[in-house]
C-alpha cells in the first residue's frame, strides 16, 4: 500500500490519493510558446478560431441601392457671399445691364475699351458664372440665366447710352453683345440695336406732346373757319366791285353765318 | 456644362484660399536627428540571461502613444531589434529628413538584452554559450521612432514606409489621426460583430473545456495574438 504512494511525497495529503489524476495534463512536446515561425495550432484551437471569426453587419438595404450622400461643402463661403452681394447691388443700382461674351483680348485693348466706356459712364465688370447664376435664379432676372454660360462680362450703367456702347463694341471684335436688361426690360441683341435707333427720351417726349397737342391746336382754326370764309368772300366781292366798276353789281348773297 | 460636341468645357471657377497648416504647438528637441545607439550598453552584462521570449509576446504596455512628434512607425508584431536595425533606421531617417524643419526621436531603448550564441559546428551540451550581441525587445502596438516638425504626413510617409518594411517585424507608418482612426475602427468592429461567439467569451467561461487546449495567457491575449504575431483580422 505505501509503495503505491510516491516516496518523496509521503507527507502529502488529500490530492495524492490513489487513482487521482491531475486535471490539466501538460504535454511537453513541440516548440515553445513564442517561435520565429508560425507555430501550428492544435486542431481544437483552430476550430475555436474559425468559430469566433468576425462577422460584418449586413444592413437590410445594401448601401449601393441608396442614393449617395452629397456632403454639403461650406468652404470659402465668405468670399463667395461677398461677391454675390456685390452682384445683387449692381443689378439694383444700374438701369442698364448688358451681357457680352468675352474672348481673350490683349490687356492693353481691354484697358482702352474700359477707358472709352468709362467716358460714357459705363462700367465693365468681370463676373464668375458660379456666383451670378444662383443670384439670378432667385431674383426676377431668371430669363437672363441662359446667357451666363461661358466667359462673359457685364457692362453696367446708371444711364442708358446704348448708341455709344454699340459703337465702342463694334470697334472691339472680341466682345460680342448677347443681351441686355434695360429698365427692367430684357432685350436681345436685335432689340438692343432697335433700342439704339430709337430717338432719345426727350425727343420722343416732345413728339408725344406734339402728337397730343395736334388736335387742340387745330381747334381755334376750326372755330374760325366760318368767319374766315365769309371774310374771304367779302374781300373777293370788294375786289370784283373795284375791278368790275360799271358792271352790274352782283350783290353777293348774304353770307350764311 | 457640355459645350458643342458634348465635351464639357473646362473653365476656372472661384479660387479657394485654404489656410496654411498651423504648427504652433510644436517644440523641437535640442538635436533634431536620431541619437546614435550603442551596440553594447555602457556596462556590459556579465551574467548570461535566460531567453525570456515573453518580452515579445502580447500587446505592448509602454510607448503606445505619441509624445512629441506627430508621425511615427508602429510595430504590428513582436520582435527583437539589434544594432544593425538601429543603424539602418538612424541613417535612413537622417538622410531623408530635413533637420531644419523636422525632428525625430527614439521610442525604444538601446539594446540591453544579451543574446548568447554557441560557436558553429559544435554538438549540444557544454553549457550556455557566451554573449554574442545585445537586442531590444519590441512588442506589438509599440512606437519605434517618432518624427515631427513643420511637415505633413505625405512628406514623411515614403521614407517611413521604407524603414518599416526593413524591420524584422511587420510595421506601419502612422500619424496621430491615423492611429486614432485605427483604434476607433477596432473598437467599432468589436462592437458591431454579429457573431455571438467571441474568443473572450468562450475562454472566460471555459466553454466545452477549451482551456485544455489554450494557454492561461489566452485569457489576456483573447485570440488576437499567437506567439509573436498579431492577428489583425481577429475580432
Amino acid at each position: 500500500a505505501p509503495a503505491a504512494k510516491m516516496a518523496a511525497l509521503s507527507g502529502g495529503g488529500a490530492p495524492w490519493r490513489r487513482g487521482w489524476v491531475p486535471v490539466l495534463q501538460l504535454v511537453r512536446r513541440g516548440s515553445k510558446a513564442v517561435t520565429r515561425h508560425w507555430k501550428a495550432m492544435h486542431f481544437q484551437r483552430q476550430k475555436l478560431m474559425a468559430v469566433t471569426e468576425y462577422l460584418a453587419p449586413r444592413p437590410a438595404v445594401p448601401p449601393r441601392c441608396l442614393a449617395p450622400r452629397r456632403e454639403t461643402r461650406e468652404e470659402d463661403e465668405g468670399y463667395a457671399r461677398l461677391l454675390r452681394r456685390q452682384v445683387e447691388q449692381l443689378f439694383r443700382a444700374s438701369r442698364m445691364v448688358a451681357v457680352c461674351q468675352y474672348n481673350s483680348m490683349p490687356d492693353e485693348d481691354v484697358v482702352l475699351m474700359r477707358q472709352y466706356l468709362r467716358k460714357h459712364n459705363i462700367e465693365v465688370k468681370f463676373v464668375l458664372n458660379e456666383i451670378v447664376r444662383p443670384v439670378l435664379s432667385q431674383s426676377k432676372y431668371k430669363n437672363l440665366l441662359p446667357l451666363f454660360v461661358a466667359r462673359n462680362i457685364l457692362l453696367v450703367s446708371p444711364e442708358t447710352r446704348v448708341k455709344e456702347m454699340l459703337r465702342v463694341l463694334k470697334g472691339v471684335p472680341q466682345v460680342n453683345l448677347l443681351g441686355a436688361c434695360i429698365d427692367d426690360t430684357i432685350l436681345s441683341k436685335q432689340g438692343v440695336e432697335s433700342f439704339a435707333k430709337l430717338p432719345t427720351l426727350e425727343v420722343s417726349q416732345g413728339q408725344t406732346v406734339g402728337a397730343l397737342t395736334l388736335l387742340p391746336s387745330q381747334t381755334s382754326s376750326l372755330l374760325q373757319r366760318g368767319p374766315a370764309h365769309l371774310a374771304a368772300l367779302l374781300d373777293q366781292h370788294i375786289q370784283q366791285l373795284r375791278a368790275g366798276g360799271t358792271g352790274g353789281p352782283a350783290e353777293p348773297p348774304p353770307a350764311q353765318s | 456644362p457640355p459645350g458643342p460636341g458634348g465635351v464639357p468645357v473646362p473653365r476656372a471657377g472661384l479660387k479657394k484660399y485654404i489656410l496654411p497648416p498651423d504648427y504652433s504647438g510644436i517644440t523641437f528637441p535640442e538635436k533634431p536627428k536620431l541619437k546614435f545607439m550603442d551596440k553594447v550598453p555602457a556596462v556590459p552584462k556579465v551574467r548570461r540571461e535566460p531567453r525570456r521570449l515573453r518580452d515579445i509576446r502580447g500587446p505592448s504596455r509602454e510607448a503606445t502613444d505619441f509624445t512629441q512628434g506627430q508621425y511615427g512607425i508602429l510595430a504590428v508584431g513582436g520582435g527583437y531589434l539589434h544594432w544593425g536595425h538601429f543603424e539602418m533606421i538612424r541613417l535612413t531617417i537622417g538622410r531623408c529628413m530635413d533637420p531644419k524643419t523636422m525632428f525625430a526621436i527614439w521610442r525604444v531603448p538601446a539594446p540591453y538584452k544579451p543574446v548568447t550564441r554557441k560557436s558553429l559546428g559544435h554538438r549540444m551540451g557544454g553549457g550556455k554559450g557566451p554573449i554574442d550581441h545585445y537586442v531590444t525587445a519590441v512588442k506589438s502596438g509599440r512606437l519605434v521612432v517618432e518624427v515631427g516638425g513643420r511637415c505633413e504626413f505625405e512628406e514623411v510617409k515614403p521614407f517611413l514606409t521604407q524603414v518599416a518594411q526593413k524591420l524584422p517585424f511587420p510595421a506601419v507608418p502612422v500619424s496621430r489621426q491615423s492611429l486614432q482612426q485605427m483604434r476607433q475602427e477596432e473598437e467599432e468592429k468589436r462592437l458591431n460583430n454579429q457573431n455571438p461567439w467571441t474568443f473572450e467569451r468562450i475562454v472566460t467561461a471555459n466553454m466545452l473545456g477549451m482551456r485544455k487546449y489554450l494557454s492561461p495567457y489566452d485569457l489576456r491575449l483573447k485570440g488576437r495574438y499567437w506567439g509573436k504575431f498579431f492577428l489583425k483580422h481577429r475580432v
Side-chain angles (χ1 to χ4, degrees), chain A residues 45 49 52, chain B residues 190 198-201 203-204 217-225 234-235:
Chain A
R45 198 197 160 106
M49 301 290 262
T52 55
Chain B
R190 196 176 64 83
T198 51
F199 194 96
E200 190 185 344
R201 185 181 164 197
V203 167
T204 43
Y217 289 94
D218 283 313
L219 278 166
R220 253 183 283 154
L221 303 177
K222 295 175 194 161
R224 302 200 77 196
Y225 300 87
R234 295 276 311 163
V235 163

Side-chain angles (χ1 to χ4, degrees), chain B residues 37-42 45 81-84 86 108-114 133-137:
Chain B
M37 296 293 214
D38 299 313
K39 240 188 196 177
V40 170
K45 304 222 169 131
L81 288 173
H82 57 69
W83 185 72
F86 279 99
V108 286
Y112 58 86
K113 180 173 176 176
H133 58 272
Y134 290 79
V135 292
T136 0

Side-chain angles (χ1 to χ4, degrees), chain B residues 163-190:
Chain B
V163 166
Q165 278 162 7
K166 287 187 175 179
L167 293 173
F169 41 80
V172 279
V174 289
S175 65
R176 282 186 196 241
Q177 284 91 22
S178 77
L179 187 64
Q180 200 187 23
Q181 174 106 13
M182 243 195 279
R183 292 209 175 129
Q184 255 174 11
E185 273 170 9
E186 236 174 273
E187 189 60 33
E188 273 173 23
K189 228 175 134 174
R190 196 176 64 83

Side-chain angles (χ1 to χ4, degrees), chain B residues 99-145:
Chain B
K100 282 179 261 182
T101 44
M102 303 187 227
F103 64 88
I105 44 174
W106 289 111
R107 290 306 297 277
V108 286
Y112 58 86
K113 180 173 176 176
V115 160
T116 59
R117 281 255 187 292
K118 288 187 84 65
S119 34
L120 183 64
H122 288 260
R123 299 209 170 173
M124 292 282 107
K128 194 163 161 86
I131 293 177
D132 184 47
H133 58 272
Y134 290 79
V135 292
T136 0
V138 171
K139 291 197 180 187
S140 54
R142 189 194 177 129
L143 287 168
V144 179
V145 281

Side-chain angles (χ1 to χ4, degrees), chain B:
Chain B
V7 181
V9 178
R11 48 186 186 90
L14 192 62
K15 183 168 167 77
K16 293 176 176 61
Y17 298 99
I18 7 169
L19 292 168
D22 180 32
Y23 295 129
S24 50
I26 294 175
T27 42
F28 273 64
E30 297 115 24
K31 297 204 178 163
K33 291 203 171 182
L34 286 169
K35 187 176 67 151
F36 174 77
M37 296 293 214
D38 299 313
K39 240 188 196 177
V40 170
V43 178
K45 304 222 169 131
V46 174
R47 185 161 183 188
R48 288 161 292 186
E49 284 174 3
R51 212 155 303 188
R52 259 186 252 116
L53 291 166
R54 54 183 178 268
D55 54 7
I56 304 290
R57 196 180 191 186
S60 171
R61 290 262 198 105
E62 46 175 4
T64 41
D65 279 312
F66 285 93
T67 50
Q68 270 186 304
Q70 292 116 51
Y71 322 108
I73 299 181
L74 185 81
V76 176
Y80 287 122
L81 288 173
H82 57 69
W83 185 72
H85 296 123
F86 279 99
E87 281 301 281
M88 180 272 292
I89 297 173
R90 188 178 71 87
L91 292 172
T92 315
I93 292 187
R95 193 178 42 239
C96 299
M97 78 172 199
D98 179 17
K100 282 179 261 182
T101 44
M102 303 187 227
F103 64 88
I105 44 174
W106 289 111
R107 290 306 297 277
V108 286
Y112 58 86
K113 180 173 176 176
V115 160
T116 59
R117 281 255 187 292
K118 288 187 84 65
S119 34
L120 183 64
H122 288 260
R123 299 209 170 173
M124 292 282 107
K128 194 163 161 86
I131 293 177
D132 184 47
H133 58 272
Y134 290 79
V135 292
T136 0
V138 171
K139 291 197 180 187
S140 54
R142 189 194 177 129
L143 287 168
V144 179
V145 281
E146 252 181 65
V147 180
R150 289 180 218 104
C151 51
E152 295 294 309
F153 190 38
E154 279 76 26
E155 290 174 46
V156 172
K157 213 165 148 182
F159 61 85
L160 283 188
T161 17
Q162 197 188 355
V163 166
Q165 278 162 7
K166 287 187 175 179
L167 293 173
F169 41 80
V172 279
V174 289
S175 65
R176 282 186 196 241
Q177 284 91 22
S178 77
L179 187 64
Q180 200 187 23
Q181 174 106 13
M182 243 195 279
R183 292 209 175 129
Q184 255 174 11
E185 273 170 9
E186 236 174 273
E187 189 60 33
E188 273 173 23
K189 228 175 134 174
R190 196 176 64 83
L191 288 170
N192 67 16
N193 188 10
Q194 300 298 303
N195 196 346
W197 307 110
T198 51
F199 194 96
E200 190 185 344
R201 185 181 164 197
I202 292 178
V203 167
T204 43
N206 192 13
M207 293 184 181
L208 291 177
M210 270 296 133
R211 281 186 65 181
K212 185 171 170 196
Y213 309 103
L214 305 173
S215 151
Y217 289 94
D218 283 313
L219 278 166
R220 253 183 283 154
L221 303 177
K222 295 175 194 161
R224 302 200 77 196
Y225 300 87
W226 178 239
K228 65 171 186 170
F229 303 101
F230 172 64
L231 310 169
K232 222 172 155 197
H233 306 286
R234 295 276 311 163
V235 163

Side-chain angles (χ1 to χ4, degrees), chain A residues 102-228:
Chain A
Y102 172 81
N103 297 305
S104 42
M105 275 159 70
D107 284 339
E108 51 264 21
D109 288 357
V110 175
V111 172
L112 269 176
M113 184 186 81
R114 282 188 118 127
Q115 169 84 23
Y116 286 137
L117 288 169
R118 207 78 197 70
K119 280 194 202 149
H120 304 305
N121 199 11
I122 301 176
E123 261 192 26
V124 174
K125 292 263 186 223
F126 284 86
V127 284
L128 282 172
N129 290 346
E130 65 184 42
I131 291 162
V132 182
R133 287 188 138 247
V135 170
L136 287 187
S137 52
Q138 268 138 34
S139 70
K140 54 184 176 171
Y141 302 101
K142 284 197 199 47
N143 291 316
L144 281 175
L145 272 177
L147 293 179
F148 289 92
V149 174
R151 266 204 98 178
N152 37 37
I153 52 174
L154 288 180
L155 306 178
V156 296
S157 164
E159 326 148 0
T160 52
R161 295 178 47 180
V162 180
K163 220 188 293 189
E164 290 92 347
M165 185 182 81
L166 282 178
R167 208 182 308 143
V168 172
L169 289 180
K170 204 165 69 160
V172 179
Q174 290 102 338
V175 175
N176 308 313
L177 181 69
L178 299 174
C181 175
I182 302 176
D183 288 332
D184 288 345
T185 334
I186 293 179
L187 300 166
S188 67
K189 191 172 169 192
Q190 290 84 19
V192 170
E193 279 159 12
S194 51
F195 181 88
K197 290 200 188 84
L198 285 176
T200 57
L201 195 64
E202 291 77 19
V203 170
S204 44
Q205 274 174 350
Q207 277 181 351
T208 344
V209 166
L212 287 172
T213 51
L214 191 64
L215 283 174
S217 60
Q218 285 178 344
T219 331
S220 62
S221 55
L222 264 176
L223 288 172
Q224 290 183 351
R225 226 200 335 201

